[in-house]
Amino acid sequence: MNEMTTVSFTKMKHGTRDDYDLLGRHEAEYAAGTADRLLAQLAKLGDGLSGYKVSRLEHSLQTAARAEADGADIDWVVAALLHDIGDELAPHNHDSFAADIIRPFVRDQVSWVVQHHGIFQMVYYAHHYDRDPEARRKLADHPCYQDAVDFCERWDQSSFDPDYPTPPLEHFASKVREVFARPAWDESVLRKGLREPLVS
Ligand SMILES: [Fe+2]
Ligand SMILES: [Fe+2]
């Protein structure tokens, strides 16, 4: 068989089935490295945004550690770890950025909460900027509203404490790998309509 190393085309519309078979194999191999690329990106948050008592990485680790301490399931823990991963690349929509990364691999409930955590967090500080702390009320009819309230209250807003016993990134690596090894967009992964508690 002809061993192709690159495709034959310079315009996508001229590609053959062999070309797209080759690309499909490359894509699958590349996708298998997603978890490790995410862990590497998280590690970079160690020297991001200043002013807080903890780095963005420590905040992320602590948020995930609190989720674990509450007995939350793996979807919650990985979401808690990754919820601010967009801080460097998408500072104005970091919540939906993170939600889109996890959306094919976690329960719908969890990606909804991550997508909207920014507006739910405003209850803690927006008044200091003369903005509406209750802007989240527009989402009040959503079935996962209370989950987002609890995510922010229990895990996110409380995780800026340099004295909290916070494990290193490696502690969460196997959970991240497990979640991103799931079949993307599978119904058994998304489990639409199912709500798992944050605290068990
Ligand atoms: Fe955030
Ligand atoms: Fe956060």
Side-chain angles (χ1 to χ4, degrees), residues 72-144:
D73 76 358
I74 182 172
D75 290 43
W76 280 127
V77 173
V78 169
L81 183 72
L82 297 178
H83 78 285
D84 279 339
I85 196 166
D87 270 351
E88 274 200 347
L89 299 174
H92 300 288
N93 56 342
H94 81 288
D95 44 12
S96 43
F97 181 99
D100 276 339
I101 288 173
I102 63 173
R103 199 182 308 282
F105 300 105
V106 297
R107 200 166 49 250
D108 250 25
Q109 171 200 20
V110 171
S111 41
W112 189 89
V113 167
V114 169
Q115 178 174 355
H116 295 98
H117 82 267
I119 199 170
F120 281 80
Q121 285 284 94
M122 286 173 67
V123 77
Y124 303 110
Y125 69 86
H127 49 293
H128 297 303
Y129 295 119
D130 299 322
R131 292 168 64 198
D132 180 10
E134 284 294 343
R136 64 189 188 176
R137 76 169 80 74
K138 71 178 185 191
L139 299 167
D141 291 337
H142 195 279
C144 299

Side-chain angles (χ1 to χ4, degrees), residues 12-196:
M12 285 187 76
K13 63 183 180 181
H14 296 149
T16 64
R17 181 167 290 268
D18 281 349
D19 287 330
Y20 284 102
D21 280 348
L22 173 76
L23 294 178
R25 289 195 297 276
H26 277 297
E27 212 170 287
E29 205 175 293
Y30 193 70
T34 302
D36 287 304
R37 285 190 294 276
L38 290 171
L39 290 164
Q41 177 62 29
L42 267 180
K44 285 175 64 184
L45 298 181
D47 43 43
L49 199 64
S50 57
Y52 294 92
K53 289 183 189 291
V54 300
S55 72
R56 236 9 175 208
L57 172 60
E58 288 168 306
H59 166 67
S60 302
L61 295 169
Q62 195 173 130
T63 306
R66 287 180 194 276
E68 245 179 18
D70 271 348
D73 76 358
I74 182 172
D75 290 43
W76 280 127
V77 173
V78 169
L81 183 72
L82 297 178
H83 78 285
D84 279 339
I85 196 166
D87 270 351
E88 274 200 347
L89 299 174
H92 300 288
N93 56 342
H94 81 288
D95 44 12
S96 43
F97 181 99
D100 276 339
I101 288 173
I102 63 173
R103 199 182 308 282
F105 300 105
V106 297
R107 200 166 49 250
D108 250 25
Q109 171 200 20
V110 171
S111 41
W112 189 89
V113 167
V114 169
Q115 178 174 355
H116 295 98
H117 82 267
I119 199 170
F120 281 80
Q121 285 284 94
M122 286 173 67
V123 77
Y124 303 110
Y125 69 86
H127 49 293
H128 297 303
Y129 295 119
D130 299 322
R131 292 168 64 198
D132 180 10
E134 284 294 343
R136 64 189 188 176
R137 76 169 80 74
K138 71 178 185 191
L139 299 167
D141 291 337
H142 195 279
C144 299
Y145 180 89
Q146 189 59 44
D147 301 326
V149 169
D150 295 342
F151 179 96
C152 290
E153 172 64 25
R154 298 189 68 81
W155 303 339
D156 194 357
Q157 66 85 28
S158 53
S159 294
F160 294 90
D161 179 357
D163 296 326
Y164 186 84
T166 303
L169 187 53
E170 302 80 69
H171 172 81
F172 298 104
S174 64
K175 281 186 176 162
V176 175
R177 293 199 181 99
E178 183 180 329
V179 163
F180 285 88
R182 291 170 174 174
W185 303 115
D186 200 276
E187 273 175 39
S188 68
V189 170
L190 305 183
R191 289 171 288 175
K192 292 192 176 163
L194 179 72
R195 284 178 59 212
E196 289 289 347

